[in-house]
Amino acid sequence: MEIAIVLLAIAVLFIIKTVKVVPQQNAWVVERLGKYHASLTPGLNFVVPFIDKVIQKHSLKEIPLDVPSQVCITRDNTQLQVDGILYFQVTDPKLASYGSSNYIIAVTQLAQTSLRSVIGKLELDKTFEERDIINAQVVAAIDEAALNWGVKVLRYEIKDLTPPNEILHAMQSQITADTAEREKRALIAASEGRRQEQINIATGEREAFIARSEGEKQAVINKAEGDAASIMAVAEATAQAIERIAAAIQKPGGEQAVQLKVAEQAVLAYGKVAQDAKTTLIVPSNMTEVSGLIASAMQMVGTGKNA
């Protein structure tokens, strides 16, 4: 019975030592008698008990690595406190086990030295403006060396850039000065806008006044021309009427017609005067005076005809 228990324990130990179940996104490095033998892939794997040995287990996932903060000196001799984060992935488990004694420390140290080298080539202002370029250059420098360690560097990100307090105060002063200058330019622009607005309004009013005066002038000219044309038309019509009357007088019976017309007008005039209640009408005692008036008028007509 005791022998059976011992044999069962040995069998269980043998199975445990033989069967290896590797999780997904992992790789286990196996040595056989102290020499690299294989890299176990995810799933069920079998090894030789007591001969094969798993010496290291690697995660094939993307790993974020915090790069410790360090002081870097820029091209213009300004100190910067810089810290960042590095993302890498194990691509070759064999090289990750044998290429370096500790690939994590190696990658960290290389990231720091590469960052110092890149920062040293830039001036202070450029370090804030060209973070993407700095990150790309650090990744390129690390990735080339990390290939020998079975590691692929994916990206590097600067988390913070902290200049000395004196530089911060100077930058704050510069920002304040720039803000004041922008406010000054804004006030000048606003005043120029108001000035231009007033000029435009004055110009518009002047042009409107000139237009109105030109319109009024043209209206007066048009009215004067119209009045002159009207007077000329009336004068021409009167002249034509007189010419026609003179022509009618020269015809037979014309003088008698004129005498009759003048007598009618005289009678009508007397009638209108008599209708006015405020007018005192003095009627000639001798009506021959009326005929004498008509004769005088006819004499004037005859004089004009002879002329």
Side-chain angles (χ1 to χ4, degrees), residues 177-205:
D178 292 342
T179 302
E181 183 64 23
R182 285 195 296 269
E183 292 176 353
K184 175 183 176 181
R185 289 197 297 267
L187 290 174
I188 293 174
S191 63
E192 288 292 335
R194 289 192 296 269
R195 174 176 173 271
Q196 188 62 41
E197 180 183 6
Q198 293 174 357
I199 292 174
N200 292 340
I201 292 173
T203 303
E205 291 177 350

Side-chain angles (χ1 to χ4, degrees), residues 74-76 78-80 122-129 161 163-164 167 171:
T74 63
R75 184 177 179 181
D76 49 358
T78 302
Q79 293 184 349
L80 279 178
L122 299 174
E123 295 181 354
L124 178 61
D125 294 339
K126 294 296 183 180
T127 58
F128 296 99
E129 299 173 2
L161 287 172
I167 301 297
M171 294 173 64

